[in-house]
Amino acid sequence: MPHLPMPDATLIEVRDLTKTYGGKLFKKGFRALDGVSISVGPGSVFGLLGPNGAGKTTLVKILLGLAHPSTGEARLFGEPVGAVAPRARIGYLPEAHRLPLYLTGRQVLELFGQMCGRDLDWVKARVARLLELVDMTGAADRKVREYSKGMQQRIGLAQALIHDPDLVILDEPTDGVDPVGRAAIREVVLDLKRAGKTIFINSHLLMEVELVCDRVVIMDKGRIVKQGTIGELTPRTGRVRFELAPVPPNLETILAGVGSGLVLQEQGCELHANDAEIDVAVDRLRAAGVSIRGLEARRMNLEQAFIETVTKERA
Amino acid sequence: MNSNVTRALFRDAFAQVVDNRVFRILFVILCVLVLPTFLIGARPEHLTVLFVWDYEYDRVFGFFGQMAGNVEHPDRALIQATQKLLTDVFAGSFGILFGIAATAFFVPRMLEKGAADVVFSKPVSRFALLLTRYFAGLVFAAVLATVMIGGMHLGFLLVSGWSDPGFLWSIPILIYVFAVVHAVSCLVGVFTRSSVAAMLVTLVFYAFNGCVQNAWQATEATRNDPETLAEETEEIREEAGGAFLETLFVTLDVAHYVLPKTTEADFIARSTRQKLERRGFEFWDQETGFYIAEPPDGFVREAGSSIEGSGLAWSDEAQPNAARITLSRVLQADAGSRLGASKKFFEELQKDSRVTEAEREKDNPGTLRSYIVRWMRADEGTGGRKHYKRFFENGKWLYTLESFADVQWLANDENERRMTRFRWQLNTDESDSGAVNIEFGSSAGTALGLHKRYGWDAPLKYNYFFSIGSTLGFIVVVLALAQWKLRRMDF
């Protein structure tokens, strides 16, 4: 199947999407998505965060045509979701996926590669590369039913990439994978990013998201509660850390009246200070002959930002 | 869907079948059942085991009493009985049930959480994926049917020298029947996503449908046969309450027309096998089914003789003038019934002074109802000549089978046996019961009365095109319903 050049327009366009499960005539259903709107451009790594039941997987399933939206509009590559053709340009690794147990890892990749319209010879050439990439070459000819969870996850990742998709959607990609395997998967994602692919990650592991994502959306109870770049979502806390050599015994005297909440540490100190106060602190330390080895404006990490956002939203 | 996708889906279907444990067990069982046809050869004179050891039929089947001795072709009888047992009983009943149990999980497993996410996110339509699983079930049935029927055919051909191409027709018929039940299995699988539910509901459906169709055929045999039970049915209706019976008949009619006609597959199989097989028969009346598979043993057909003329005539191969058999027919409307015609002939015969030992009696070999007239002519042949004329009816025709043989010729026991055996080879294509019935000279088998109403050009309700068309229509509707549900499904 010929792959069309990727358009400049957004790859994923979602407008006011809602999804209600189980709504009957006299029974109120469960609203899994409530007016969600997002837009994902080409070449970015997009992270989707949220607690259990936030609607992340429902959103992904609607994008892939696995579930039907109740209202709203969603488009992939400019075509409405549910259309078959755009799915040839998407690689998907579902959460808790089940690959055909009666096939070997190699056969799984060949099957799904061909199902995406690729020629068998082309697929076979790519299978070898991908097996190496996910470190499954040695187990490629064993039946999937003999694989451990981690091995299934790695073959699952390979099947998502087998047809060289433009958009890769990964739902909990490191689920069940050991730390070494997790780092390898992270490396794969970064390789894809470098290759200009668009990646959509749905994960509970915030550190991973923080490491690889350009842009993040936080969802809760079917709604988007916050979105932005990693920098936007993890603001400075206002605290500044000084690494000093040596640490003078009269450090409290030197910094007296500058900022607040001074905490002495083994290799320096930390305090609350604005930009002007930081300048004053630097001047005083230098005047006292203290060498400043490092200066760091403390930021909130993604986990803190996520918990704060969700807690605030629920409150 | 391009060719890569199609190839991948077919390969996947095949891989799923081959990996199926029940399939592999059935495959081994079938190979074990077929293996004897390669190891034991049923030759005309004896059984040959492993191409080396020969055993006389009388020794092997002696405990059946005189059965073996009376059968003219024990090799054929044995082969036909084996074919019937394995196709009718094993494949037709147990095989279908095992097949339902083994393939019921094909669709529900595809729809399980996790599996569905992977498969349905690919750029292939849901209907194509459903059809793949349906196709996998057909592959399951096709491979097993081919191994059994094809393997048996090959074994009999190579080791016993018996070729019956019509027997191979059983393969598509088994697939055809399985196509119906597997469609139902797929439908239930889509609606319930449960393998157990798919299996149980399909088994119930298969049994229910068989009951409905058999009941319809039973009532149809009595309802619309003007010659036999119409009067009785009328009486039953009056006694049991006409309204109830009418409702029952209408319900049965509706169910018959709506449901797939799986039981008629057997008729189609027989009819097709008969057509293939009986084309080479000595005589076959397609209209009534009456046939003679082979010429009398040791006799040859006289050139130019025809049933439409003075009759088919055979004479003894060694002594053409010593023994002769003739089969002729006239319309009953012109010649009367077997009773009247035989009586009239007998009366005429008695007027001839050269005739001695004349007698007339009723004789019913097998399902054939007939009168025979015997007489002796001392002035004919060598040492006198015994005559014999049998009158029987079939359809609109009055048939007469006439034979004579010189007394000297008959003195040879084997000659007499040959003449006697031939009367058992008149096959009227009727069977009183549905039990396994070994037909001499034919492996296509006999038919129940209703069977004879069916045909490719019969009225709609007995028409094979309608039977196949409506059954395929049922499959299409069932799969369309499954697709309707599948399209609306959220995973």
Side-chain angles (χ1 to χ4, degrees):
Chain A
M1 184 178 287
H3 279 216
L4 302 170
M6 201 154 56
D8 290 329
T10 52
L11 267 64
I12 300 173
E13 189 73 48
V14 175
R15 292 262 176 273
D16 292 328
L17 202 65
T18 62
K19 173 68 183 174
T20 306
Y21 285 108
K24 298 272 190 288
L25 194 58
F26 300 109
K27 191 179 163 191
K28 199 179 169 192
F30 168 70
R31 180 159 281 201
L33 288 181
D34 189 4
V36 170
S37 299
I38 57 168
S39 173
V40 180
S44 61
V45 182
F46 189 92
L48 195 58
L49 301 180
N52 292 336
K56 310 183 295 291
T57 301
T58 301
L59 175 61
V60 168
K61 287 189 172 182
I62 288 175
L63 291 176
L64 288 159
L66 295 170
H68 302 87
S70 300
T71 61
E73 189 190 14
R75 301 181 86 83
L76 270 176
F77 297 100
E79 289 196 49
V81 290
V84 170
R87 294 209 291 265
R89 301 173 67 184
I90 301 171
Y92 175 46
L93 172 65
E95 181 188 13
H97 59 77
R98 272 195 53 181
L99 301 170
L101 300 176
Y102 49 88
L103 297 178
T104 64
R106 190 185 303 278
Q107 287 170 333
V108 165
L109 299 186
E110 288 173 1
L111 168 69
F112 291 141
Q114 281 194 289
M115 277 176 75
C116 293
R118 294 292 192 179
D119 181 69
L120 185 59
D121 291 335
W122 185 94
V123 171
K124 279 185 172 171
R126 189 163 165 80
V127 164
R129 288 213 317 272
L130 279 175
L131 286 171
E132 204 173 324
L133 187 73
V134 297
D135 195 21
M136 283 292 287
T137 307
D141 295 311
R142 280 163 55 192
K143 288 268 168 77
V144 170
R145 66 164 66 93
E146 296 169 18
Y147 286 174
S148 67
K149 195 178 177 195
M151 290 162 93
Q152 290 198 28
Q153 192 70 5
R154 280 184 274 163
I155 283 291
L157 178 63
Q159 67 80 28
L161 306 176
I162 186 66
H163 55 299
D164 191 22
D166 296 321
L167 170 64
V168 181
I169 298 178
L170 306 173
D171 200 348
E172 301 295 352
T174 53
D175 193 24
V177 182
D178 59 37
V180 178
R182 217 176 285 166
I185 289 175
R186 201 155 51 227
E187 202 51 44
V188 171
V189 173
L190 291 171
D191 279 346
L192 291 170
K193 183 180 178 181
R194 282 191 282 272
K197 306 290 182 187
T198 305
I199 303 148
F200 194 102
I201 298 181
N202 179 6
S203 178
H204 283 109
L205 297 175
L206 303 179
M207 195 187 82
E208 278 171 24
V209 173
E210 193 170 358
L211 286 173
V212 299
C213 290
D214 304 320
R215 188 171 175 80
V216 170
V217 159
I218 297 175
M219 291 181 69
D220 189 31
K221 292 181 179 171
R223 287 196 301 265
I224 291 176
V225 291
K226 203 164 196 175
Q227 61 179 313
T229 62
I230 292 289
E232 287 165 353
L233 290 177
T234 56
R236 284 163 57 172
T237 58
R239 290 188 74 78
V240 184
R241 181 173 175 276
F242 290 89
E243 191 180 329
L244 308 172
V247 180
N250 58 341
L251 188 58
E252 284 181 87
T253 314
I254 295 169
L255 295 178
V258 180
S260 61
L262 177 70
V263 177
L264 299 180
Q265 294 172 336
E266 197 177 331
Q267 292 180 326
C269 65
E270 198 175 299
L271 75 162
H272 244 105
N274 57 30
D275 290 349
E277 289 167 334
I278 292 169
D279 289 342
V280 173
V282 168
D283 290 344
R284 286 198 190 171
L285 287 167
R286 292 300 301 134
V290 178
S291 176
I292 302 169
R293 296 287 165 85
L295 176 60
E296 183 191 1
R298 291 288 201 185
R299 302 187 80 90
M300 204 182 256
N301 66 25
L302 192 58
E303 186 168 315
Q304 288 168 322
F306 172 74
I307 291 169
E308 191 182 288
T309 306
V310 172
T311 310
K312 200 184 285 178
E313 179 67 20
R314 290 186 176 181
Chain B
M1 198 163 64
N2 70 18
S3 60
N4 287 324
V5 179
T6 311
R7 269 201 296 272
L9 292 178
F10 282 161
R11 241 194 6 231
D12 177 52
F14 191 72
Q16 185 175 24
V17 169
V18 172
D19 184 72
N20 187 306
R21 199 166 292 168
V22 179
F23 171 83
R24 285 188 280 183
I25 291 170
L26 282 175
F27 189 86
V28 172
I29 290 173
L30 291 181
C31 287
V32 170
L33 288 173
V34 167
L35 189 64
T37 64
F38 286 89
L39 302 180
I40 303 170
R43 296 287 177 181
E45 306 80 24
H46 48 69
L47 284 175
T48 303
V49 179
L50 292 173
F51 304 97
V52 176
W53 296 286
D54 295 338
Y55 298 95
E56 297 296 326
Y57 286 103
D58 287 342
R59 272 181 63 197
V60 177
F61 299 106
F63 58 89
F64 287 120
Q66 57 176 1
M67 172 255 175
N70 278 349
V71 177
E72 187 174 2
H73 298 294
D75 54 330
R76 294 183 192 180
L78 187 64
I79 289 169
Q80 287 162 12
T82 310
Q83 286 180 336
K84 277 179 187 295
L85 186 72
L86 288 185
T87 51
D88 291 0
V89 180
F90 191 84
S93 304
F94 294 120
I96 297 285
L97 298 182
F98 275 119
I100 292 170
T103 57
F105 73 88
F106 281 6
V107 168
R109 191 162 288 180
M110 177 178 72
L111 300 177
E112 279 176 7
K113 189 172 163 54
D117 294 340
V118 178
V119 173
F120 289 99
S121 63
K122 302 295 177 218
V124 181
S125 74
R126 292 184 178 193
F127 189 53
L129 291 166
L130 176 71
L131 284 183
T132 308
R133 292 302 183 267
Y134 179 66
F135 175 76
L138 300 192
V139 169
F140 181 100
V143 172
L144 294 181
T146 306
V147 167
M148 193 180 79
I149 310 280
M152 276 171 67
H153 183 259
L154 195 64
F156 287 137
L157 182 68
L158 296 178
V159 182
S160 303
W162 168 261
S163 176
D164 177 11
F167 179 56
L168 295 173
W169 184 246
S170 303
I171 297 174
I173 290 295
L174 281 172
I175 299 170
Y176 170 74
V177 172
F178 194 76
V180 173
V181 291
H182 189 50
V184 175
S185 175
C186 288
L187 175 69
V188 181
V190 168
F191 271 84
T192 64
R193 300 201 202 184
S194 159
S195 303
V196 177
M199 185 176 73
L200 290 179
V201 174
T202 307
L203 287 173
V204 169
F205 168 80
Y206 183 55
F208 172 75
N209 185 57
C211 289
V212 167
Q213 298 300 355
N214 283 321
W216 182 83
Q217 285 174 5
T219 58
E220 192 65 14
T222 59
R223 271 192 289 173
N224 296 320
D225 187 344
E227 290 179 6
T228 55
L229 294 166
E231 286 177 21
E232 288 178 32
T233 310
E234 206 56 50
E235 286 168 17
I236 293 168
R237 280 183 192 180
E238 283 171 15
E239 285 172 18
F244 172 73
L245 271 181
E246 279 304 325
T247 311
L248 182 70
F249 287 155
V250 169
T251 309
L252 267 179
D253 276 342
V254 171
H256 165 75
Y257 286 116
V258 170
L259 291 170
K261 289 131 196 88
T262 47
T263 50
E264 289 172 8
D266 185 44
F267 293 175
I268 299 168
R270 283 188 194 191
S271 171
T272 311
R273 284 182 67 185
Q274 282 173 358
K275 279 225 164 115
L276 286 170
E277 182 188 71
R278 294 183 183 175
R279 272 192 300 217
F281 276 6
E282 196 67 8
F283 173 69
W284 175 35
D285 181 354
Q286 291 198 41
E287 192 185 318
T288 62
F290 173 65
Y291 67 89
I292 297 169
E294 292 181 338
D297 194 19
F299 283 70
V300 287
R301 179 125 150 226
E302 290 176 7
S305 67
S306 154
I307 193 77
E308 305 305 338
S310 56
L312 290 169
W314 299 273
S315 49
D316 184 52
E317 198 169 5
Q319 298 170 263
N321 295 321
R324 189 170 189 259
I325 298 172
T326 313
L327 177 74
S328 56
R329 70 179 182 190
V330 282
L331 287 169
Q332 282 187 56
D334 299 336
S337 66
R338 60 179 183 260
L339 173 69
S342 64
K343 203 170 175 181
K344 192 175 168 190
F345 177 77
F346 184 62
E347 284 166 5
E348 290 292 322
L349 199 63
Q350 284 177 316
K351 291 175 189 167
D352 190 337
S353 58
R354 295 167 299 175
V355 170
T356 57
E357 300 174 31
E359 59 178 17
R360 174 180 164 273
E361 65 177 358
K362 193 187 275 185
D363 185 62
N364 300 327
T367 53
L368 192 69
R369 304 282 174 266
S370 66
Y371 282 92
I372 55 171
V373 178
R374 293 193 189 87
W375 71 98
M376 175 77 182
R377 284 279 298 267
D379 59 316
E380 291 179 342
T382 315
R385 182 170 280 171
K386 282 190 172 178
H387 289 264
Y388 158 105
K389 192 166 185 176
R390 180 185 295 273
F391 297 80
F392 60 95
E393 296 154 3
N394 201 256
K396 62 189 176 188
W397 301 101
L398 172 71
Y399 281 88
T400 55
L401 181 75
E402 191 169 359
S403 65
F404 68 75
D406 289 358
V407 172
Q408 196 179 38
W409 186 86
L410 284 170
N412 182 335
D413 287 348
E414 179 51 30
N415 286 346
E416 187 168 10
R417 250 179 93 182
R418 283 194 284 138
M419 284 290 256
T420 310
R421 273 197 305 236
F422 182 60
R423 66 183 180 142
W424 289 93
Q425 293 182 358
L426 307 173
N427 297 285
T428 54
D429 203 33
E430 292 280 4
S431 173
D432 291 335
S433 71
V436 174
N437 184 19
I438 300 163
E439 266 306 271
F440 298 113
S442 166
S443 59
T446 52
L448 296 165
L450 191 65
H451 176 186
K452 292 170 70 176
R453 297 185 200 166
Y454 279 84
W456 296 103
D457 51 1
L460 188 70
K461 64 178 168 180
Y462 302 130
N463 191 294
Y464 288 143
F465 285 115
F466 173 69
S467 176
I468 295 171
S470 60
T471 302
L472 293 180
F474 176 85
I475 293 173
V476 169
V477 169
V478 165
L479 290 178
L481 261 176
Q483 156 67 356
W484 175 82
K485 175 67 182 171
L486 195 60
R487 276 185 63 186
R488 278 152 186 77
M489 203 174 268
D490 284 337
F491 296 106

